Amino acid sequence: MEEQQENNPIDECSRSEITKLPDEILADILSIYPLDSGSKFVALLTGLCNRTCIKYGGPAVQVQDFESEIRKHFLMFDENKPLKSPRKLEFHFNRGLIVTASIGLKNKLHLDFSKGNQGYPRQFGWEIVLNTMDFAQFSPNLFSVKTLKLTSVNYLTCELVSNLINKFRYVECLIIDKCDGLRSLRVEGLAKLTTLIVRDCYDLKSVFVESLELKSLRYRGRLCWFSFKNVMYLKDVILDCEGPGFKHLNHQLYDPLLRAIRDVKVLTLRGWMFKEVFGPWLFSEEHEEHFRFSRLEDLWWIDSCMDDHNINWLFCFLKFCTSLKRLFIT
């Protein structure tokens, strides 16, 4: 502990002096250096990069105000001097709804609804349509968001978010995080969408994905049903699934997922999924002879323990991996 304190580049005295500086001076100093260097540490230390610049509240706040303000601050964000621009907006709507919009480097936008009233956790279905061809007819209301993260969206806010998404162009990475009550998810990204991440949505039962350019799929949560359309170029897949969210497994329902991941180069998989979901289907006479993960090079295998039984199941899976170069076990 003493060594860590001695190696700390900023002692308590310096910390106190830095935090006393006005935001304007801090921003001028830190904008001289790239945000990924030591200036980022100072920015985090002082809280400068996390301070909410603007708050909107009251019954007068309309959806149009929400959309226009996000667009305005997103467009005025300066990549070269990120700490001089507003990075966080907070909107207070009726019924206790609060959304925090955070702007980041490389056209990143994070919409977080976790701070406000979540209401009763009612289940809902959500359809997200990204990068439609309509944006070819350019509208001044559209703006480019490359990485979009959506946190704690529920049945009260999903329509608000969907309407805002229609204003975005060229979303390449979509992250959906901790959405209570989300039962079914449908994502259509006809162009540009290359990465889809779904995490900790524990009510989710089904996921449908249509994307011509999707290369990375990362899922963490309870096992659910997956369906795909025009998904042909997956390279990196994470299936960090807990036990199923339903009592009975119909192995045939996971054939689309198995076929979608057969050509990936990097795969992260929990051992129980192979034993209980993919294994019975793969070892049928129809599939065992022909199915192979012929392009898989890196396998990350997650298991609760590596006793003889689980090791045997791992060896069974490796029989299908004809090009494997690296194996990692967690």
Side-chain angles (χ1 to χ4, degrees):
M1 182 66 69
E2 292 178 357
E3 292 181 357
Q4 291 179 352
Q5 291 177 352
E6 290 176 0
N7 294 330
N8 193 338
I10 300 180
D11 58 24
E12 290 299 326
C13 180
S14 300
R15 183 190 303 262
S16 176
E17 294 302 319
I18 290 174
T19 55
K20 290 179 181 179
L21 291 174
D23 288 358
E24 294 78 8
I25 296 178
L26 272 173
D28 283 332
I29 295 173
L30 298 179
S31 63
I32 299 174
Y33 302 99
L35 193 61
D36 57 357
S37 68
S39 64
K40 184 175 183 179
F41 175 77
V42 178
L44 292 172
L45 173 71
T46 59
L48 179 64
C49 62
N50 290 321
R51 293 175 190 170
T52 302
C53 298
I54 300 177
K55 289 187 178 182
Y56 296 87
V61 176
Q62 302 295 322
V63 174
Q64 294 83 353
D65 301 327
F66 170 65
E67 296 177 356
S68 63
E69 287 300 323
I70 288 181
R71 178 182 178 277
K72 180 178 73 174
H73 289 283
F74 195 88
L75 293 177
M76 67 184 287
F77 182 75
D78 188 348
E79 291 272 349
N80 296 318
K81 297 181 179 180
L83 297 176
K84 296 195 70 173
S85 307
R87 299 193 66 190
K88 187 177 290 189
L89 311 176
E90 191 174 283
F91 293 84
H92 294 244
F93 294 93
N94 289 329
R95 296 184 291 179
L97 297 178
I98 301 175
V99 55
T100 303
S102 303
I103 301 170
L105 298 176
K106 299 181 180 179
N107 292 51
K108 294 180 182 179
L109 178 63
H110 180 197
L111 300 179
D112 186 355
F113 293 83
S114 62
K115 193 174 180 179
N117 175 29
Q118 294 296 302
Y120 184 79
R122 184 185 302 175
Q123 294 184 340
F124 67 103
W126 194 8
E127 180 176 357
I128 300 176
V129 181
L130 299 167
N131 307 332
T132 61
M133 301 310 294
D134 294 338
F135 63 65
Q137 299 177 349
F138 183 76
S139 167
N141 294 324
L142 300 178
F143 55 104
S144 298
V145 176
K146 289 187 177 181
T147 299
L148 175 61
K149 182 177 180 180
L150 306 172
T151 299
S152 297
V153 177
N154 61 16
Y155 76 98
L156 293 172
T157 54
C158 65
E159 184 177 356
L160 171 68
V161 175
S162 297
N163 291 334
L164 180 62
I165 288 176
N166 291 332
K167 307 295 191 302
F168 300 156
R169 297 181 298 157
Y170 311 131
V171 176
E172 298 177 4
C173 176
L174 175 63
I175 305 170
I176 300 173
D177 199 24
K178 301 176 182 176
C179 294
D180 292 339
L182 179 59
R183 186 175 180 86
S184 64
L185 175 65
R186 184 182 182 94
V187 178
E188 298 180 21
L190 299 181
K192 296 296 183 181
L193 182 66
T194 60
T195 302
L196 174 62
I197 301 173
V198 181
R199 296 185 299 221
D200 302 335
C201 300
Y202 288 105
D203 297 310
L204 198 57
K205 302 294 184 183
S206 64
V207 176
F208 172 85
V209 182
E210 181 178 4
S211 176
L212 296 172
E213 301 181 31
L214 190 69
K215 295 180 180 179
S216 179
L217 172 65
R218 304 187 176 193
Y219 178 83
R220 184 178 72 199
R222 292 194 180 98
L223 177 66
C224 64
W225 294 319
F226 288 85
S227 181
F228 300 92
K229 183 179 180 181
N230 295 326
V231 176
M232 298 175 286
Y233 304 105
L234 278 175
K235 303 298 180 185
D236 179 7
V237 172
I238 295 177
L239 295 174
D240 186 4
C241 298
E242 299 179 8
F246 31 83
K247 295 181 179 180
H248 304 288
L249 285 174
N250 185 340
H251 304 292
Q252 295 184 1
L253 292 175
Y254 297 96
D255 186 53
L257 175 60
L258 194 59
R259 295 184 182 280
I261 66 175
R262 69 183 302 170
D263 292 327
V264 299
K265 290 186 176 181
V266 182
L267 175 63
T268 299
L269 185 69
R270 286 208 184 192
W272 81 268
M273 281 194 66
F274 176 65
K275 289 181 285 187
E276 300 186 25
V277 181
F278 296 145
W281 187 238
L282 283 175
F283 288 124
S284 65
E285 294 182 0
E286 180 183 355
H287 291 84
E288 185 174 9
E289 183 177 352
H290 304 289
F291 190 93
R292 294 292 183 272
F293 291 99
S294 58
R295 299 181 183 179
L296 183 62
E297 297 181 359
D298 292 0
L299 172 63
W300 296 77
W301 187 266
I302 305 173
D303 220 325
S304 57
C305 67
M306 292 307 293
D307 56 19
D308 291 343
H309 179 70
N310 288 342
I311 290 175
N312 288 334
W313 275 108
L314 173 58
F315 285 154
C316 290
F317 184 83
L318 294 178
K319 289 167 51 179
F320 296 94
C321 307
T322 55
S323 301
L324 193 67
K325 296 181 180 180
R326 290 167 290 272
L327 170 64
F328 307 89
I329 299 177
T330 301

